[in-house]
Amino acid sequence: MNKLVIALFTAGFLMTGLTVQRAEAVPITGAITFAGGAIFDTNSLATATRVNTFENVTVMSRDGGFTGFVNVNDSVTMATPWIFSPSSPTPGLWSVDGFTYDLASSTVVLQNANFLLIQGTGTIMGNGFDPTVGTWSFTSQSPDASGVFSFSAGSNSPVPDGGTTVALFGFGLLGLGLLHWKLLATS
């Protein structure tokens, strides 16, 4: 009887060890925002089609997976020119502290002489995380903002648990099996 119990526990621990040590994908979660200056290809937001130069771009906020890697006020490198109309994929649209954002596509949501709003999707990668699809938005106001823009990107990907749930389920089944075996042995 004791040999069977020891064999069952050994099998359970072996199964748990193999399950918990399995590598899982770790997507980036959270959001990051930037602000800085943008010089467009025209003097009017209503007719702009690209950003020729970005100036003094810094991190304004960050959370989730960006915390611990990125600090508020860190400098951000932006790719130029950035052509947003028509939408053009832009590898390395931004990078900061080991993270890079590859722009896949964008849509001009609102564009007039006073306001520009662009939204789209791309892939955020870096610092040991798996490449993660994320959404983003870019806004600029004119003339009061003097070319200052705001950019935000983020991902709400679920975080896997690394196999812990499966291991706990296995222990529960093992416990039920032992209880059933114990009840049969005492009857």
Side-chain angles (χ1 to χ4, degrees):
M1 177 164 92
N2 286 337
K3 288 182 181 179
L4 181 59
V5 171
I6 291 171
L8 287 173
F9 273 114
T10 302
F13 281 118
L14 180 59
M15 184 173 43
T16 301
L18 293 174
T19 303
V20 172
Q21 293 179 8
R22 187 180 65 197
E24 292 286 334
V26 181
I28 300 168
T29 60
I32 189 166
T33 62
F34 312 129
I39 299 174
F40 297 91
D41 59 331
T42 68
N43 290 330
S44 172
L45 283 181
T47 58
T49 61
R50 66 193 237 169
V51 175
N52 287 332
T53 306
F54 288 100
E55 297 178 341
N56 303 318
V57 181
T58 59
V59 175
M60 299 305 293
S61 67
R62 81 285 185 260
D63 62 21
F66 297 103
T67 305
F69 295 100
V70 179
N71 297 308
V72 172
N73 295 322
D74 282 355
S75 292
V76 180
T77 302
M78 303 291 293
T80 54
W82 170 42
I83 302 168
F84 54 84
S85 184
S87 174
S88 299
T90 308
L93 177 62
W94 61 258
S95 60
V96 60
D97 298 332
F99 287 103
T100 301
Y101 185 85
D102 289 343
L103 169 67
S105 66
S106 61
T107 302
V108 175
V109 176
L110 176 64
Q111 183 173 16
N112 59 43
N114 297 312
F115 194 76
L116 175 62
L117 169 61
I118 303 169
Q119 295 180 330
T121 61
T123 303
I124 306 167
M125 63 200 94
N127 289 314
F129 291 97
D130 286 345
T132 306
V133 174
T135 58
W136 62 271
S137 64
F138 172 95
T139 62
S140 186
Q141 303 78 37
S142 181
D144 296 335
S146 300
V148 174
F149 78 92
S150 169
F151 182 91
S152 64
S155 171
N156 293 318
S157 298
V159 178
D161 73 353
T164 306
T165 303
V166 173
L168 290 173
F169 181 69
F171 270 127
L173 288 178
L174 181 64
L176 286 173
L178 287 174
L179 180 62
H180 178 70
W181 180 75
K182 176 84 171 157
L183 291 173
L184 285 177
T186 58
S187 312

